């Protein structure tokens, strides 16, 4: 079985590190990037199994990047977790993401995310993934 790959695109270093630790603990090989332009370049050649994407990123907005890559067939089975402090924008992106996390990220959200990541791992081994959850708020 291949090790699933996750991309974390988050410009807040502490939050990027928390996501990296959570995903690594769930069995993912992770890559962390701090801006949208670098992520866009990375995603031109890579297709991770899971993407954690902040909406408000420097150089290229995460919501714009999400809209662009969601249209590409090679991302059909990629799981998207959107992270935002903007509740309204999070609701707007609800249908494009498998999970929306609202900042500040609470302990409960991280605990629940860990459980959901286990479901993602099962999906990567066995088949289609049910929608993770509509959205999460602290």
């Amino acid at each position: 079985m291949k090790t699933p790959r996750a991309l974390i695109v988050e410009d807040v270093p502490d939050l990027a590190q928390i996501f990296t630790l959570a995903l690594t603990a769930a069995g993912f090989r992770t890559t962390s990037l701090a801006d949208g332009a670098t992520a866009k370049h990375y995603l031109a050649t890579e297709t991770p199994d899971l993407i954690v994407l902040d909406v408000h990123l420097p150089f290229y907005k995460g919501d714009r990047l999400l809209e662009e890559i969601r249209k590409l067939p090679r991302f059909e089975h990629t799981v998207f977790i959107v992270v935002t402090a903007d509740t309204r924008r999070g609701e707007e992106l609800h249908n494009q993401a498998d999970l929306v996390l609202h900042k500040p990220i609470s302990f409960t959200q991280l605990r629940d995310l860990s459980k959901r990541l286990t479901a993602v791992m099962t999906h990567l081994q066995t088949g289609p993934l049910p929608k993770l959850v509509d959205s999460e708020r602290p």
Side-chain angles (χ1 to χ4, degrees), residues 8-63:
I8 301 152
V9 189
E10 172 60 61
D11 60 327
V12 177
D14 289 342
L15 194 49
Q17 183 177 9
I18 288 170
F19 284 127
T20 297
L21 292 172
L23 288 164
T24 300
F28 286 83
R29 185 175 39 141
T30 63
T31 300
S32 184
L33 304 173
D35 69 78
T38 304
K40 182 175 177 158
H41 180 73
Y42 177 89
L43 292 169
T45 59
E46 299 293 331
T47 309
D49 300 294
L50 183 144
I51 298 173
V52 176
L53 183 61
D54 186 7
V55 171
H56 298 289
L57 293 166
F59 308 119
Y60 202 86
K61 298 296 180 195
D63 52 355

Side-chain angles (χ1 to χ4, degrees), residues 111-127:
R111 183 195 65 217
D112 292 347
L113 176 60
S114 177
K115 290 177 186 175
R116 291 182 185 108
L117 292 174
T118 301
V120 170
M121 292 293 291
T122 301
H123 151 70
L124 293 173
Q125 297 171 15
T126 62

Side-chain angles (χ1 to χ4, degrees), residues 49-121:
D49 300 294
L50 183 144
I51 298 173
V52 176
L53 183 61
D54 186 7
V55 171
H56 298 289
L57 293 166
F59 308 119
Y60 202 86
K61 298 296 180 195
D63 52 355
R64 183 175 174 195
L65 182 60
L66 176 65
E67 290 176 26
E68 290 175 6
I69 61 178
R70 264 299 203 192
K71 295 176 185 176
L72 302 174
R74 67 187 173 95
F75 290 100
E76 178 183 3
H77 298 292
T78 298
V79 174
F80 290 88
I81 299 174
V82 171
V83 182
T84 183
D86 182 345
T87 303
R88 184 182 54 80
R89 188 64 182 133
E91 290 299 321
E92 292 170 357
L93 294 171
H94 165 77
N95 290 329
Q96 293 181 46
D98 296 292
L99 177 65
V100 175
L101 295 176
H102 294 271
K103 292 180 182 179
I105 305 298
S106 70
F107 173 80
T108 302
Q109 284 180 297
L110 288 174
R111 183 195 65 217
D112 292 347
L113 176 60
S114 177
K115 290 177 186 175
R116 291 182 185 108
L117 292 174
T118 301
V120 170
M121 292 293 291

